[in-house]
Amino acid sequence: KEAEEREELMKRRVEAESTARRTQALLQRAGIPPRFKDCTLANYVAENEGQKNALSKARWFVDTIKDRVSEGTGMIFTGQAGTGKTHLSTAIANAIIPLGYSAVFITASDAMRSIKRTYDPASTMTESDAIDALVAPSLLILDEIGMQNRTDHDKQLMFEIINKRYERVKPTIL
């Protein structure tokens, strides 16, 4: 009996270490800027009704993440600069990554740059590879959408990313 208990304890320890390594790897790949790496829903300060409503929706999103991922339900945060849209978005990512979901945070401008870098003849990635990298995660957070210069080509690329995620039933936060 004692040997079985030690074996079970060792098994749980190995599983916990494996989960911790996976979570750390997912957090590193998430692209969350250092300023937002410690953002949580608990440390978000909601000062007005709009912010309280946004926080409530963010909590709902996290609390029902399994459904959000299976249904491909996304969110759109709107508001003036400094109201906490990025805080809430990264808090959602920080909350779901330990649950085993992948998340990528990227500004719309950086997303466009990551795709356009593939146009360099020395690039080993294709445009499709770069788009697929944005389609792949369980959750994609596109920050500062609409702030970049929007050429027709940029609009087409953004549509392709969002549409592919929609077709593949993957949630996106804008």
Side-chain angles (χ1 to χ4, degrees):
K1 177 138 172 112
E2 194 174 302
E4 287 176 14
E5 288 176 1
R6 274 197 308 270
E7 187 176 322
E8 182 62 30
L9 181 62
M10 183 61 93
K11 182 180 174 185
R12 280 189 290 214
R13 186 176 296 144
V14 168
E15 286 174 5
E17 289 171 1
S18 176
T19 299
R21 280 192 303 277
R22 176 175 158 70
T23 298
Q24 191 58 37
L26 288 170
L27 283 168
Q28 288 175 348
R29 287 194 300 257
I32 297 172
R35 179 173 301 278
F36 301 102
K37 72 178 179 62
D38 295 324
C39 288
T40 66
L41 298 177
N43 66 19
Y44 177 77
V45 179
E47 297 175 342
N48 60 51
E49 285 308 309
Q51 290 173 319
K52 290 175 185 173
N53 184 47
L55 176 58
S56 173
K57 300 292 185 195
R59 282 191 176 121
W60 167 82
F61 194 91
V62 170
D63 291 344
T64 61
I65 190 61
K66 186 176 180 182
D67 294 332
R68 297 315 104 231
V69 170
S70 69
E71 297 169 5
T73 310
M75 294 183 76
I76 299 173
F77 287 116
T78 62
Q80 299 296 317
T83 55
K85 300 177 296 293
T86 301
H87 182 123
L88 287 174
S89 297
T90 55
I92 290 170
N94 286 329
I96 69 165
I97 287 172
L99 302 175
Y101 297 97
S102 60
V104 167
F105 173 92
I106 191 167
T107 65
S109 296
D110 284 344
M112 292 302 100
R113 274 192 287 282
S114 73
I115 295 168
K116 291 177 181 179
R117 276 195 292 274
T118 68
Y119 304 158
D120 183 326
S123 176
T124 58
M125 286 183 68
T126 67
E127 179 184 83
S128 292
D129 293 335
I131 291 170
D132 288 344
L134 296 169
V135 174
S138 304
L139 174 66
L140 176 66
I141 301 166
L142 282 168
D143 200 31
E144 303 296 341
I145 195 109
M147 297 303 289
Q148 74 281 11
N149 291 330
R150 291 176 286 191
T151 65
D152 286 342
H153 182 64
D154 288 348
K155 290 177 191 175
Q156 179 60 37
L157 291 172
M158 192 60 62
F159 171 80
E160 190 169 345
I161 294 163
I162 293 169
N163 190 58
K164 279 188 175 193
R165 290 188 61 77
Y166 174 77
E167 289 174 344
R168 294 178 188 173
V169 195
K170 293 194 171 222
T172 304
I173 295 178
L174 306 175

